[in-house]
Amino acid sequence: MAAEKSQQKMIYHFLLRQIKMGNYKSGDRFPTVKEIADHFNVSYCPAQIALKTLEKDGYVQLSKGKTAEIIWQPDETAEKTLDFEERRGVLKDLYESLCHFSPLSRLQGLSLMDEKQLAELEQLLTSDQEPLLFSLYKGFEVSLQPMKNQMLMYLFTDVDAFVGTVLVDRMKDVNDGQGDMALEKVRKYLLNAIRCIQKKEYTNGFEQLSQLSYYLKGFFDINQNEDGQCAQTEAFSWEPQKGRKRYCDDIAIDLICKINQGVYPVDSYLPQGRLLADIYHVSPITIRRTISILNELGVAKNINGVGTKVIFPGDRTILYKMKDMTMDRNLIQFLEALQILAITGESVALSVFPFFDENALQKIKEALKLKGDERSKIQTFAACLQAIVHCAPFAAVREIYSKLTLMTLKGSVLRLESTGDENIVWWAEMAERFENSLDNKDAALFSKTLFDLFYRSFCSTRKMLCEIGVEQAGLVAVPIIFK
């Protein structure tokens, strides 16, 4: 139910944004419930509720047997959809976090465009045929498309839905009604970035995109309340999967892999439910469903008053029993999560490393010392993600990386027959770099090494998925390494 409410809210704000940007004019035909549901890959219910909410709020008119019609007219005195003062703190946190995601993602997308695509994007941004706000949002969307990463598109769709119209309203407030001048500045930054990339000046292009992100963030730093406190409000939430979500399936596969590799050997007990919920960043009910799956597969058994006992390590038959979880789309989502980590990991780790507590550092050190290259690599990968999720100073970074951690579980099925002892020719050297960075508290070395781990994991997974015939794996773009 909570997921469905999140979906209808996201759809509502996305459609409202389209109306207010002028994408639909008064009297225009509006998308049908089916078209909306298909676009967002959700059931009819959240799409229908979002549409009815738009009608209730006076933006569209619904008629039985006909498509919705736009009835809203722009009104400069209209009540704002969000109370800025109540959300200042959470919005500032979100935009502070996005400074580690947006410039890097857009630099990758723009750099993957050919000359014709860049020229068309430049023309879109300089044309006066559409409202400037609509052109900018269309430009931001187009800049991400070359990554071929649906999960990344969902991230910025959810950001857009969460922010609503508050950013534009705020632009107008802090500029004494000169909101158009603020939008012009945004356009200038984006056009400058495109022109730098056209000339292969990637460093300058990244600088323009970074300045753009910090310019937008700056709107939430102005005129803080005297006490510096903001009212508590709803936190940003990202749903990397739209529609059906069963994290319990992914967690079950990951636990079976760990049982196979001896992390939880036969006759031992799995960690308590609350500990598993903390490890995987999910609710206790998701863990209870996970344990039920393990019970049904004959891998574990609940012992009243004691816990969940491992009774069988699993074998090849598990793959067939869980074939619904090994669908191509799940593996593509795993690859998309690795791509986002490869793009953003270095920047995020560099900013979060100084906040790592002793427990987080110790978990990484223990993972590095495990026997077996494959086992050590996988556990180090997980320990680094856990450290970021638990120690990041920004709530939105914690939210995004906790969801990415869950999405990486979708690749656990690829390790069902792994013993963890497999040799990796480059792991010893990488593990040494990790250890040196931890011993010397060297944030730069740690973040560069983590990027190397994420990037290699992405490339090897992409190659494997292409070899076993997973459709679309070859379309997910390999991140460009800028010198």
Side-chain angles (χ1 to χ4, degrees), residues 126-334:
T126 55
S127 172
D128 293 328
Q129 294 182 355
E130 301 284 358
L132 177 54
L133 184 59
F134 174 74
S135 297
L136 286 172
Y137 270 85
K138 184 66 176 177
F140 285 135
E141 179 183 2
V142 169
S143 71
L144 294 176
Q145 289 175 350
M147 299 302 298
K148 303 299 182 183
N149 189 321
Q150 185 61 61
M151 198 182 302
L152 188 64
M153 300 298 289
Y154 284 152
L155 171 59
F156 286 95
T157 297
D158 285 358
V159 169
D160 182 49
F162 182 79
V163 173
T165 60
V166 71
L167 179 60
V168 177
D169 290 339
R170 185 61 176 160
M171 281 182 172
K172 294 177 180 179
D173 285 348
V174 300
N175 285 280
D176 297 324
Q178 300 181 49
D180 289 342
M181 291 179 63
L183 292 176
E184 285 288 354
K185 192 163 186 176
V186 172
R187 171 159 62 179
K188 180 181 177 181
Y189 280 127
L190 191 52
L191 282 172
N192 285 345
I194 293 170
R195 288 160 185 166
C196 287
I197 290 167
Q198 286 172 327
K199 294 183 289 186
K200 311 298 183 186
E201 297 175 355
Y202 299 113
T203 301
N204 292 337
F206 176 69
E207 181 63 26
Q208 291 296 314
L209 292 169
S210 296
Q211 289 184 27
L212 169 57
S213 287
Y214 281 101
Y215 176 68
L216 295 177
K217 180 185 75 72
F219 286 100
F220 306 111
D221 290 328
I222 300 173
N223 299 327
Q224 286 282 1
N225 292 337
E226 290 183 4
D227 59 4
Q229 300 295 319
C230 300
Q232 293 296 316
T233 186
E234 178 185 7
F236 169 70
S237 176
W238 174 40
E239 289 298 339
Q241 302 177 93
K242 303 304 180 190
R244 179 179 178 272
K245 294 179 285 294
R246 281 181 57 88
Y247 292 131
C248 53
D249 297 341
D250 305 323
I251 298 171
I253 293 176
D254 190 62
L255 287 172
I256 293 171
C257 289
K258 290 178 178 178
I259 291 170
N260 284 336
Q261 295 175 8
V263 178
Y264 306 122
V266 172
D267 291 333
S268 70
Y269 287 84
L270 295 176
Q272 294 181 355
R274 60 182 179 80
L275 294 177
L276 287 174
D278 182 62
I279 290 170
Y280 290 105
H281 314 295
V282 295
S283 65
I285 192 171
T286 298
I287 294 300
R288 289 198 290 273
R289 290 169 179 166
T290 301
I291 299 301
S292 295
I293 292 173
L294 295 179
N295 290 339
E296 291 173 13
L297 293 172
V299 173
K301 181 180 180 179
N302 287 337
I303 308 295
N304 288 337
V306 181
T308 303
K309 185 176 183 179
V310 178
I311 60 174
F312 177 60
D315 56 24
R316 183 181 290 272
T317 61
I318 297 292
L319 283 171
Y320 299 99
K321 293 177 181 178
M322 303 182 75
K323 66 179 182 178
D324 287 343
M325 303 171 215
T326 64
M327 294 173 60
D328 286 4
R329 182 58 199 153
N330 282 0
L331 294 175
I332 290 297
Q333 289 173 335
F334 170 53

Side-chain angles (χ1 to χ4, degrees), residues 3-34:
E4 191 169 90
K5 287 183 178 179
S6 174
Q7 290 170 1
Q8 68 196 42
K9 180 179 178 182
M10 179 270 294
I11 294 169
Y12 170 84
H13 282 295
F14 179 85
L15 295 174
L16 176 61
R17 171 81 77 182
Q18 298 300 307
I19 294 171
K20 289 201 167 188
M21 287 191 305
N23 194 20
Y24 298 101
K25 306 293 193 305
S26 180
D28 281 357
R29 173 191 177 276
F30 203 62
T32 64
V33 172
K34 181 180 185 306

Side-chain angles (χ1 to χ4, degrees), residues 106-114 118 143 197 200 202 480 482:
R106 299 193 193 285
L107 178 67
Q108 288 284 340
L110 292 171
S111 300
L112 288 165
M113 290 183 175
D114 57 32
L118 287 171
S143 71
I197 290 167
K200 311 298 183 186
Y202 299 113
I480 299 171
F482 301 101

